[in-house]
Amino acid sequence: MKLAVIGGGGVRSMFLAKSIARKAKDLNITTLVFMDNNEEKLNIYGKMAKHVANLLCPGLEFILTTNAKDAVINADYVITTIREGGDLMRVKDERIALNHGVLGQETTGAAGLSFAMRSVNALKEYCELIKRYSKPGCKVFNFTNPAGVVSQTLRDMGYDFTYGICDAPSGMLRSFALLYNQDENAAKGEIYGLNHLSYFTSVTINGKEMLDEIIDNDEAYKKTDLRYFEKELLKERRAIFNEYLYYFYYREKAVANILKAAQTRGEQIAQINEAMTEKLKGVDIDNDFEKALGIFDYYYGLRENNYMASETGVKRENEWHFDIFEKDSGGYAGVALKFIEIINSGKKDSMIICTANNGAIEGLLDSDIVEITCDITKDGVTPHKVRNQDEQCLELIRRVKIYERLASKAIREKSVQAAVEALTLHPLVNSYSLAKTLVNEYLELNKDYTPDWS
């Protein structure tokens, strides 16, 4: 089996390589290709990923390439994780929104539309190559943000072999299992909503329902990403929130915290990544991997402990280290590998993935892409029907999904009007005049990526 990663020169490449290499033999993955059009970063982070994979699975054929066609030829599965325009464009995306008092955040905020304008154009080219050169039935797992808008747009373009993946739900489940000193895979969940806007209605640990217990557990608000919410809110909704819902339920606090912070999250990451890359340029990765790993540990640790700190005022204090041989949750690669594992088994199993609604959530179209617990078999993906939906949660889901539909239309049709309508309805913008201003500024920013809009 051949697995290709488009965006294999990203700073998280070692995480991908570790997860895939650990499972390669069990899943019969014999060839792994990391492709990136940034040769310099591929020769740093791609090489580090290859070193990790060789340590964990020496028999795995690991190829680094800048040629997308070579990467996807005869591929069985493809993971896409790209950042079109790089970190600096994210910084500009988010600052444009903040300059108007609007949350910029690259996935849930107004900046997500700008990011999607760039992302979809690039992903469309990769999808066409996959249709032409990959094996029939090849599946694409998209981790490129904003995953909700991107996944919706790719499906609307006819690329029904694409699925959105995110490690936020699985990461939260893992944190709950560890909270109760159980195996990290002991927690299972029923979730519904959209990417970065989803609600757990059930969490079981070793088969025992624990939703109410977790919501009531004060330790959960210290040791998991429930730290961003008040217990009263979760009790009212009787649901556990995806951490990104902080931006919707605490909108004014998020904006105020970001504006008073020295840097936005995007600016932090851009600065950290630039410094880390500059340091790693001077290291012979093939012959001095330990030195490279030490540099990576320092800088990535800064990145991890500052996660959502600017927006929430809450900073993680965990000591961070990349351990090649330590078992972990697998991150977003783990989500893709879980899908492959189920298909290989020939049996039905469930997992959380972004796919077509098909009647699972009332009030949404069948073609709407949702983040939901699904049954997976060799014959397809079936989302679990959601019952007794909370009306307030559902209303927010509907509103943001209308935004995603219009954003998809805007990108596919290069329509300024649809883009303005999209941001007008976005709960974090909620203004026609602001929407017009933002769209005009984003089109100017992206003029080299989005020509011919009207």
Coordinates of all heavy atoms in Angstrom, one line a residue, residues 12 27 40 79 82 105 111 140 151 183 186 203 222 233 307 328 347:
R12 N 5.2 19.9 11.5 CA 4.6 18.7 12.2 C 4.8 17.4 11.5 O 4.3 16.4 11.8 CB 3.1 18.9 12.4 CG 2.7 20.1 13.3 CD 1.2 20.3 13.4 NE 0.6 19.3 14.2 CZ -0.7 19.2 14.5 NH1 -1.5 20.2 14.1 NH2 -1.2 18.3 15.3
L27 N -0.8 -2.2 8.9 CA -1.7 -1.7 7.9 C -1.2 -2.0 6.5 O -1.8 -1.6 5.5 CB -2.0 -0.2 8.0 CG -2.6 0.3 9.4 CD1 -2.8 1.8 9.4 CD2 -3.9 -0.4 9.6
E40 N 13.4 23.7 0.6 CA 14.2 23.9 1.8 C 13.6 23.3 3.0 O 14.3 22.6 3.8 CB 14.4 25.4 2.0 CG 15.2 25.8 3.2 CD 15.4 27.3 3.4 OE1 14.4 28.0 3.8 OE2 16.5 27.8 3.1
I79 N -2.9 12.2 2.3 CA -3.2 13.2 3.3 C -2.8 14.5 2.8 O -1.6 14.7 2.3 CB -2.5 12.9 4.6 CG1 -3.0 11.5 5.2 CG2 -2.7 14.0 5.6 CD1 -2.2 11.1 6.4
I82 N -1.5 21.4 3.8 CA -0.8 22.5 3.2 C -1.1 23.9 3.8 O -2.1 24.0 4.5 CB -1.0 22.6 1.7 CG1 -2.4 23.0 1.4 CG2 -0.7 21.2 1.0 CD1 -2.7 23.3 -0.1
Q105 N -9.1 34.6 13.8 CA -8.7 33.2 13.9 C -8.9 32.4 12.6 O -9.9 32.4 12.0 CB -9.5 32.6 15.0 CG -8.8 31.4 15.8 CD -8.8 30.1 15.0 OE1 -9.7 29.8 14.3 NE2 -7.7 29.4 15.1
A111 N -10.8 35.3 9.1 CA -9.6 35.0 8.3 C -9.7 33.6 7.6 O -9.0 33.4 6.7 CB -8.4 35.0 9.2
V140 N -8.8 10.7 0.0 CA -8.0 11.8 0.4 C -8.5 12.3 1.8 O -9.7 12.6 1.9 CB -8.1 12.9 -0.6 CG1 -7.3 14.2 -0.1 CG2 -7.5 12.5 -2.0
S151 N -13.3 21.4 3.2 CA -14.0 20.1 2.9 C -15.3 20.3 2.2 O -15.6 19.5 1.3 CB -14.2 19.3 4.2 OG -13.0 19.0 4.8
D183 N -6.3 3.8 30.0 CA -5.6 3.8 28.7 C -6.1 4.9 27.8 O -7.3 5.2 27.8 CB -5.8 2.4 28.0 CG -5.1 2.3 26.7 OD1 -3.9 1.9 26.7 OD2 -5.7 2.6 25.6
A186 N -9.3 4.4 25.8 CA -10.4 3.9 26.5 C -11.7 4.7 26.3 O -12.8 4.3 26.6 CB -10.1 3.8 28.0
V203 N -19.9 10.5 26.2 CA -18.5 10.1 26.3 C -18.5 8.9 27.3 O -18.9 9.0 28.4 CB -17.6 11.2 26.9 CG1 -16.2 10.7 27.2 CG2 -17.5 12.4 26.0
K222 N -9.1 21.9 34.8 CA -7.7 22.2 35.0 C -6.7 21.4 34.1 O -5.7 21.9 33.7 CB -7.3 21.9 36.5 CG -8.1 22.7 37.5 CD -7.7 22.3 38.9 CE -8.5 23.0 40.0 NZ -8.2 22.5 41.4
L233 N -22.1 26.6 31.9 CA -22.5 26.6 30.4 C -22.6 25.2 29.9 O -23.6 24.8 29.2 CB -21.4 27.3 29.6 CG -21.5 27.3 28.1 CD1 -22.9 27.9 27.6 CD2 -20.4 28.0 27.4
Y307 N -0.5 27.5 23.2 CA -1.8 27.2 22.4 C -3.0 27.9 23.0 O -3.3 27.8 24.2 CB -2.0 25.7 22.4 CG -3.3 25.3 21.7 CD1 -3.4 25.4 20.3 CD2 -4.3 24.7 22.4 CE1 -4.6 25.0 19.7 CE2 -5.5 24.3 21.8 CZ -5.6 24.4 20.4 OH -6.8 24.0 19.8
D328 N 1.7 7.4 21.4 CA 0.9 8.6 21.5 C -0.4 8.4 20.8 O -0.7 7.3 20.3 CB 1.6 9.8 21.0 CG 2.0 9.7 19.5 OD1 1.4 8.9 18.8 OD2 3.0 10.3 19.1
K347 N -14.5 -5.1 8.7 CA -15.6 -5.0 9.7 C -16.0 -3.6 9.9 O -15.3 -2.7 9.6 CB -15.1 -5.6 11.1 CG -14.6 -7.1 11.0 CD -14.1 -7.5 12.3 CE -13.6 -9.0 12.3 NZ -13.0 -9.4 13.5

